[in-house]
Amino acid sequence: SLLSATDPIAVLTLMKELGAPKGLTYQISGESLFNDGTSVILFTVFFDMSRHRRGQYASVARLIRIITRMIFFSPCLGILVGAIAVYWMKKASRRHSKTDALVQLSVLLVAAYLGFFLSDNSKIGQASGILTTVACAAVISFRAWPFIVSREAIENVWATAEHVLITMIFSVVGILMSRAKLSQNVNGRDVLNCIILYLAVFAIRAVVVFVCRPFMNCMGPHKVTTKESIFLIWGGLRGVIAIRAVVV
């Protein structure tokens, strides 16, 4: 669950600069969205099982019910939150109005974090906050984009928020890594295991990509070539989600 999440930010930035095909761009970004949600669900379940909540997962049937509720309840909640956000954004859609632009931006921020909180809170939803946020964003992108007052402002605010939050996460990880490096519990065998695990992850990803390649070629007009398959393998970088799970 830790190693299944991919981080396409750096890869997509490079692809835009090089003018890569849109079909390949959609595959990498789409894979990241669904992998992040799946990895968080699996990590949450197995992390709880390894600690003091084993009673919740006493049977396989109950475990399947919990995972199913996470998978299906999360998108439904996200669609609901997204629909409400679209309604309020449509109410504040006067062009060249700074107040309406601020209202729309506030609605987007509230929708993103409120949906995540409602889904991730065990007392309310006990679902996947990431899947809820993705579904909410999909609804807003599909329905609200035509009447957004200031697209540039929204893109700049979210880009800044993304940069600040990712910088904070990597800063925390850097502090923890410096402490681990000074610890006597870390030795050469641990470093060797990390290298072996790194190579194993790429080998497993290569098998998955080439096995799924015929099925991907049947799903759309864009055909995945051998070169693109190799790029998909190499572009599956591990990033913020895996690091966040490790920090937890």
Side-chain angles (χ1 to χ4, degrees):
S1 62
L2 283 174
L3 300 176
S4 62
T6 56
D7 185 11
I9 296 175
V11 178
L12 292 178
T13 302
L14 181 61
M15 291 176 67
K16 290 180 180 179
E17 294 178 355
L18 298 177
K22 290 186 177 180
L24 185 61
T25 303
Y26 293 151
Q27 288 177 4
I28 293 179
S29 58
E31 176 199 10
S32 174
L33 289 176
F34 287 101
N35 274 1
D36 289 353
T38 304
S39 64
V40 170
I41 290 174
L42 293 176
F43 176 80
T44 302
V45 171
F46 291 122
F47 185 71
D48 289 344
M49 289 177 64
S50 65
R51 298 181 69 188
H52 56 279
R53 303 179 183 177
R54 296 182 182 179
Q56 293 182 349
Y57 314 99
S59 64
V60 177
R62 182 170 178 80
L63 177 61
I64 294 175
R65 286 198 301 269
I66 292 173
I67 295 177
T68 303
R69 183 172 66 249
M70 287 183 176
I71 294 174
F72 291 101
F73 175 75
S74 302
C76 292
L77 180 59
I79 292 172
L80 176 61
V81 175
I84 296 174
V86 169
Y87 172 79
W88 286 109
M89 291 178 67
K90 193 173 182 179
K91 290 292 184 180
S93 58
R94 293 175 297 177
R95 297 293 178 182
H96 309 293
S97 174
K98 294 183 179 180
T99 303
D100 284 4
L102 183 60
V103 170
Q104 288 187 347
L105 182 58
S106 301
V107 170
L108 285 176
L109 292 172
V110 171
Y113 287 96
L114 179 62
F116 187 92
F117 171 77
L118 292 176
S119 182
D120 202 56
N121 193 318
S122 60
K123 295 181 180 180
I124 300 176
Q126 196 178 10
S128 171
I130 291 182
L131 289 181
T132 300
T133 307
V134 169
C136 176
V139 172
I140 294 175
S141 177
F142 181 72
R143 301 294 299 178
W145 196 247
F147 47 84
I148 286 180
V149 176
S150 178
R151 299 183 179 184
E152 183 179 0
I154 290 177
E155 291 177 351
N156 290 337
V157 168
W158 282 110
T160 303
E162 178 185 22
H163 174 73
V164 172
L165 294 175
I166 291 178
T167 302
M168 291 175 59
I169 292 176
F170 279 100
S171 299
V172 173
V173 171
I175 296 173
L176 296 177
M177 289 295 294
S178 64
R179 294 179 179 178
K181 186 177 180 180
L182 298 176
S183 175
Q184 297 180 355
N185 297 326
V186 179
N187 51 38
R189 185 179 181 84
D190 295 327
V191 177
L192 179 61
N193 290 335
C194 289
I195 296 175
I196 295 174
L197 182 60
Y198 176 80
L199 297 175
V201 166
F202 273 99
I204 295 171
R205 181 172 177 82
V207 173
V208 172
V209 169
F210 280 107
V211 169
C212 296
R213 179 184 166 190
F215 301 98
M216 291 189 293
N217 289 335
C218 296
M219 294 181 179
H222 179 77
K223 304 300 180 182
V224 182
T225 63
T226 303
K227 292 182 180 180
E228 291 178 350
S229 299
I230 296 175
F231 187 85
L232 286 172
I233 296 170
W234 183 252
L237 303 177
R238 269 61 190 173
V240 177
I241 298 298
I243 293 176
R244 175 258 187 191
V246 171
V247 171
V248 171

